[in-house]
Amino acid sequence: MFLLEPVGLGRRENDVYLALLELRRATAVELAEHVGESPSDVRASVATLVGAGLVHQLGYAPAAYLIVAPDEALAALIQRRRGDLARMQVRAEELAQRLRSGPAHTGSPVELVEGEDAVIASVTRLQAQAREEVLAVDAPPYLGGQWNPNDFEITQLAGGVEYRFVYSADSLSTPVHVANMRRCVEAGEQARVLPDASMKMLIVDRRTALMPASYQDPDPAVRLLVRESALIDVLGCAFEQMWERATPVPAETAGDKPVPSARDGELLALLASGMKDRSIARALGVTERTVGRRVTELMAELGAQSRFQAGLLAAREGWI
């Protein structure tokens, strides 16, 4: 029996995982050279590992992959399997000795998490531990200097965990970012847009949170892990206030009542959130003129005399 067999993963995924454990960080092409497989097969295996929360993806062009600390990621899978996975837990702890970093938990409600590997492990572990809900504010700065997808969320949504995300303008600055948000919304995420959102945070089950060590001079590789305490309540209140101010992103709907296309829904949500035409155009991957023309057409469809009125009417019609 190979390492990842008890959790339903195949031999190729196992080989790619162990190769990445050795390389620490690699592209699909580099992994393919290391394991002697084709890049397309390795990309498929890496996608499976990312979805399982064992690997983290950094960026897109080209994507680089990082191993998530085995004692963090594998423990979450072990909890779902039990029984035969007891032997795997011992192996995971052995592997973790090669990657584990940072001080052990001392019982304090706040713990400093330092280093990209430690932050990635914390993000993955917290999501894996979620049983009811995950609340998040998506804002820069990001690990590796660029925005990174969260494919593990799709897995958790399918398992019944509720996700609510508040997106900042910078987190929706390109068509790739918007497409990822749309994919998550279609999978069940509740998303809203608040252009000036900057209080990056992740709150799990109102019990644990991860936040920057500083909002004045944030470092993506330095976070505070906050356990059940009054600070969790404060963060929860801050999130709910941003949630109330933010503009909902519509999910695809069907029925007799006319609804805008997904692209029009995104445009209206971004417009109603206060984003300017130039920022909307950049997010949707179109020209500023196209945005202005479509806004004018939507105003006509709604019978609105101003953009503000268009937002009110679109909300009343259930378009946003």
Side-chain angles (χ1 to χ4, degrees):
M1 181 180 69
F2 52 87
L3 177 64
L4 299 183
E5 184 178 7
V7 292
L9 296 177
R11 173 68 71 176
R12 183 181 292 121
E13 285 76 24
N14 187 82
D15 292 346
V16 170
Y17 178 76
L18 293 177
L20 191 55
L21 178 67
E22 180 178 344
L23 297 174
R24 298 297 180 91
R25 178 184 300 202
T27 64
V29 172
E30 291 169 339
L31 282 169
E33 293 175 352
H34 196 81
V35 300
E37 299 279 359
S38 69
S40 60
D41 286 341
V42 168
R43 287 190 183 93
S45 296
V46 170
T48 300
L49 292 169
V50 170
L54 298 175
V55 169
H56 183 79
Q57 179 178 337
L58 283 178
Y60 274 102
Y65 301 97
L66 298 175
I67 198 82
V68 177
D71 60 338
E72 305 284 2
L74 294 181
L77 295 176
I78 288 170
Q79 290 176 5
R80 300 173 189 171
R81 295 296 180 115
R82 303 280 184 185
D84 291 340
L85 297 183
R87 289 172 293 177
M88 180 179 176
Q89 187 170 20
V90 174
R91 178 60 175 154
E93 292 171 353
E94 292 174 354
L95 293 174
Q97 295 300 323
R98 295 160 57 182
L99 290 175
R100 184 178 289 121
S101 62
H105 172 46
T106 61
S108 169
V110 179
E111 177 184 336
L112 187 65
V113 180
E114 295 183 276
E116 285 190 352
D117 291 347
V119 170
I120 290 170
S122 295
V123 171
T124 301
R125 184 185 72 251
L126 291 183
Q127 291 186 85
Q129 290 174 346
R131 294 295 175 264
E132 297 179 3
E133 66 172 5
V134 174
L135 311 177
V137 176
D138 191 344
Y142 298 109
L143 288 169
Q146 57 183 322
W147 172 88
N148 304 295
N150 180 18
D151 289 332
F152 189 52
E153 176 186 345
I154 305 298
T155 300
Q156 290 296 84
L157 285 166
V161 177
E162 178 181 295
Y163 273 71
R164 284 197 285 154
F165 259 74
V166 173
Y167 291 90
S168 67
D170 288 338
S171 69
L172 298 175
S173 59
T174 72
V176 171
H177 298 172
V178 174
N180 182 76
M181 177 189 69
R182 171 56 57 189
R183 183 169 69 102
C184 291
V185 169
E186 290 173 353
E189 175 186 291
Q190 299 175 57
R192 296 191 176 188
V193 180
L194 185 63
D196 62 354
S198 60
M199 293 183 65
K200 188 184 188 79
M201 67 178 71
L202 178 73
I203 307 173
V204 174
D205 292 340
R206 310 282 177 148
R207 293 177 177 272
T208 318
L210 198 66
M211 59 183 290
S214 169
Y215 282 122
Q216 298 300 317
D217 186 23
D219 181 343
V222 180
R223 306 286 176 89
L224 295 179
L225 178 63
V226 184
R227 296 181 178 82
E228 218 167 352
S229 64
L231 184 53
I232 294 288
D233 297 333
V234 172
L235 289 173
C237 288
F239 176 86
E240 294 298 348
Q241 289 178 1
M242 286 186 280
W243 182 259
E244 289 301 317
R245 290 170 51 212
T247 301
V249 175
E252 292 280 9
T253 58
D256 296 332
K257 188 175 181 180
V259 296
S261 66
R263 178 55 62 91
D264 283 344
E266 290 164 1
L267 189 156
L268 285 165
L270 297 175
L271 179 69
S273 73
M275 289 178 66
K276 303 300 183 183
D277 284 5
R278 180 173 300 178
S279 297
I280 295 174
R282 188 168 62 248
L284 298 181
V286 299
T287 65
E288 190 173 347
R289 172 178 287 185
T290 297
V291 171
R293 182 174 64 249
R294 188 55 185 147
V295 168
T296 300
E297 292 170 351
L298 289 169
M299 286 173 60
E301 291 180 29
L302 289 162
Q305 301 302 311
S306 68
R307 292 183 171 212
F308 178 73
Q309 186 182 25
L312 292 177
L313 292 173
R316 187 181 70 184
E317 293 293 328
W319 287 10
I320 58 176

